[in-house]
Amino acid sequence: MYLMGIGENKKEILKAYQALVWEGIDVQLVDDSRELLDKTINNEVDGAIRGSLSSSEIMPLLKKEIGEFYRASILKNPFTDDIFLLCPVGIDEVNNIQDKINIINYSINFLKSKNIVPKVGLLSAGRLSDYGRSEKIDNSLNECENIIKYFKKIYNNEDSENDNILETEDGIIIHHNGILIEEYLKNGYNIIIAPDGISGNLIFRCLGLVCKMEGYGAVILNDKDIKFIDTSRSGDWKRYYNAIKFLNGD
């Protein structure tokens, strides 16, 4: 059985609920954040989505139960029809380079658990040729370069010729190509790392809520195996439907 939170935006939640029930998927609507989280964390259900419950209420409760976490939105790439992760999308989830490294590691592990070979695209504040235009742009470019250097050291790949890309023996790619999100998506990159949580949230809203790119909610990334997907109160019924279907392995 799966749980769907129902708060605001009830009409869209009910549309998703009815479509899922019609397909024979066991779903229950819950209007209490504590009940939804308790049953999910205690493995009393197969998974849950926030649905349209308040983020400001449920996220602090979740953090108290499982510790620090990051969120990665699952979206469908319009160029390839495959899913990709966009992260971070929590406006306060990235405060330093270590947070980005953590997100990359968790995202890689998540995709590997789905038998998907990770291809990571690091977004910075400008093109690689924009170095020198401002201190803010330079810092963003440098941060991504330092992340590449870190992973090259971890994967014993420091001698590769291209400073902006890491390719491992098992096919993992971590690439810094500046601000060019469109190039990453055209080339099938399945993890997009935004410069910070605010820009990641803006990218999600532009792609998912304005341009209507198909989405599945946001998975929780940390060292706990919690089957919970965060969804926006502003979503349409298909996004809630997709989130449950994703948890169901469809």
Side-chain angles (χ1 to χ4, degrees):
M1 180 176 70
Y2 299 96
L3 302 182
M4 296 177 65
I6 181 166
E8 299 179 12
N9 207 8
K10 286 183 172 63
K11 182 179 178 181
E12 298 300 313
I13 288 289
L14 290 172
K15 282 184 184 178
Y17 172 78
Q18 290 163 359
L20 292 162
V21 170
W22 186 83
E23 292 184 17
I25 296 175
D26 189 6
V27 184
Q28 179 179 324
L29 297 175
V30 179
D31 62 3
D32 181 82
S33 297
R34 170 58 70 182
E35 179 186 353
L36 184 140
L37 286 181
D38 283 348
K39 288 184 176 180
T40 304
I41 293 168
N42 293 331
N43 294 314
E44 296 176 32
V45 293
D46 297 307
I49 69 170
R50 174 164 70 93
S52 60
L53 290 174
S54 169
S55 176
S56 60
E57 178 179 314
I58 202 168
M59 289 297 118
L61 289 174
L62 183 61
K63 185 175 180 180
K64 185 177 180 180
E65 292 293 334
I66 70 170
E68 296 289 342
F69 60 83
Y70 309 97
R71 283 171 287 180
S73 284
I74 312 167
L75 295 165
K76 181 178 281 190
N77 187 330
F79 298 108
T80 67
D81 280 338
D82 296 319
I83 67 163
F84 71 95
L85 302 181
L86 170 65
C87 44
V89 290
I91 60 173
D92 57 352
E93 288 178 0
V94 168
N95 298 300
N96 50 55
I97 192 171
Q98 186 59 53
D99 281 328
K100 280 195 177 180
I101 289 170
N102 292 342
I103 285 176
I104 292 168
N105 281 324
Y106 287 136
S107 298
I108 286 173
N109 291 336
F110 178 81
L111 287 190
K112 287 173 70 175
S113 74
K114 304 293 182 185
N115 297 314
I116 300 172
V117 178
K119 294 178 66 176
V120 183
L122 302 177
L123 287 175
S124 55
R127 291 176 178 268
L128 302 184
S129 59
D130 286 332
Y131 195 88
R133 291 182 63 172
S134 77
E135 183 179 357
K136 185 174 183 178
I137 292 171
D138 292 354
N139 289 340
S140 178
L141 292 166
N142 287 335
E143 181 179 72
C144 289
E145 294 301 306
N146 287 332
I147 289 172
I148 295 287
K149 289 177 183 177
Y150 169 86
F151 280 102
K152 284 191 173 187
K153 187 174 181 179
I154 293 297
Y155 284 98
N156 296 314
N157 197 299
E158 296 175 270
D159 297 329
S160 62
E161 295 181 2
N162 192 332
D163 293 336
N164 299 317
I165 190 168
L166 162 68
E167 299 184 56
T168 71
E169 292 182 358
D170 55 355
I172 296 172
I173 296 175
I174 303 176
H175 188 192
H176 172 221
N177 193 27
I179 201 170
L180 305 178
I181 185 173
E182 69 279 12
E183 295 300 322
Y184 287 131
L185 294 178
K186 286 176 183 177
N187 288 295
Y189 280 72
N190 47 34
I191 300 173
I192 304 297
I193 305 296
D196 53 44
I198 295 172
S199 57
N201 194 283
L202 286 169
I203 293 169
F204 163 72
R205 290 178 179 279
C206 289
L207 295 180
L209 303 182
V210 177
C211 298
K212 302 298 183 181
M213 183 182 287
E214 189 168 357
Y216 304 76
V219 292
I220 302 299
L221 300 175
N222 75 350
D223 57 359
K224 306 289 193 305
D225 183 21
I226 178 171
K227 294 178 175 60
F228 175 82
I229 291 182
D230 185 29
T231 49
S232 171
R233 282 175 288 175
S234 303
D236 62 15
W237 74 271
K238 189 68 182 297
R239 204 168 292 273
Y240 304 128
Y241 169 89
N242 283 348
I244 293 290
K245 296 282 281 187
F246 188 88
L247 285 172
N248 197 44
D250 297 335

